[in-house]
Each structure stands twice: as C-alpha cells, then as structure tokens.
Amino acid sequence: MSKKNIEKISLLIERIKDWNSLNDDELFQLIKEFEKMPRLEVSGFYNDLFNDAKLVENLLAIYDNHCDKTKLVVLLISSIGNMIQRYHIPETKAIYEFMLKNTYRKNVGAYVALFLPRLISFKTYNSKWKYIMDIKMMSPKKVAESAFESLIDLYMDSIPVEYKVVASDYFKNKAQKSNNEYGKQYYLDLASKIR
C-alpha cells in the first residue's frame, strides 16, 4: 500500500512543480488529488516527500495566482496544514502569512482555524483569544464548530476570564441541542471543565 502511495505522491508532486502549464480545471483536479495525500494515515515513508521546501513554494505560488478561487484555497490550506501537523514541515513566515490572510475569509476561515492556532507563530498573534472565540461563528458552520471545540479543549487551562462564560454557555447550549446522551454528556463535561 505504502509503495503505491509513494509513487502516486511523487507523481503528483512532479505535476505540481509544473503547475503553470495546467489550465484551471486541471490545476484544481491536481490539487484536489494531492490534498488527500497528507491526510492519509501518517507514515514515515512519506516524510521526505512532504518535507520539500520547493513543494511548499509551489503550493503558495498557486495560491498567489488563484487566491480568488475559494475551493482551491481550501484545498491548499488543508494540504499545507496537514503537512505541518502530520509531517512537521518547517513552519515559515510565508506559510504563517498565507494562513493569516485567510483567517476571516468567508467559507475559508473555518478551515484555517483547524491549523493556524497550532502554529508556533500563533503564540504571538495579537488578538489570539478574540480570534478563537470568533471561530464558532465562521462558515461552514460544522467545520468552524469542530475547530472551535477542539481548540477550547486544547487550551482549556488558559482561557482568559472574560471568555469563560461564553465558552461554557456554548457547550451547555450544544448539550441541550444534542440528540443523544453521549453527546449531551460530552458537552456538559466540557462546560464544567471551564472554571
């Protein structure tokens, strides 16, 4: 399985290096296919493939030339975000700025929220907690709420006092809306952890 994937990833990376020669539809299909790869189950075999500065440069260049194409941008965010999170590609200023440019973008920001708060540079982000609290209102709603919930869980011990009630109320509200006991309990437990 891994050998076949290595060949497939290598081929996709080669095509990405030549992205300029593709039309918009071909480029979208290529990035759509590539984006699945860093999301596959993590394997040490893929480390060298994804730890490729030139690949990241190409993905960011594609963004610079097609930043108006929402669906393509979402795929680029997911690709780069997963390469950082799962394959520990070095976080660069260019990657951080790419994420920042899209933080509040309609139908894109929720995907950024899955990765941006886990970047090292995010520690110095000016309105870190205002941003985290804004995530739950982004679209698409399901992605935004999932990102918000996992971040609150991750940063549970450092929620500033002024946001604790809002965060706690959010989970109590989710518990009320939940249609199964497990979900209800899960949200109530999270709400009660926020002190």
Side-chain angles (χ1 to χ4, degrees), residues 23-40:
N23 68 36
D24 286 2
D25 289 339
E26 291 167 334
L27 181 62
F28 181 79
Q29 285 311 316
L30 171 62
I31 299 303
K32 188 178 175 184
E33 202 48 45
F34 174 76
E35 184 270 343
K36 296 172 190 165
M37 297 299 142
R39 279 193 295 120
L40 287 172

Side-chain angles (χ1 to χ4, degrees), residues 165-183:
V165 172
V166 179
S168 178
D169 286 351
Y170 170 86
F171 289 114
K172 287 174 188 164
N173 194 16
K174 288 286 283 196
Q176 280 179 338
K177 288 180 184 169
S178 182
N179 53 9
N180 67 57
E181 283 311 307
Y182 173 79

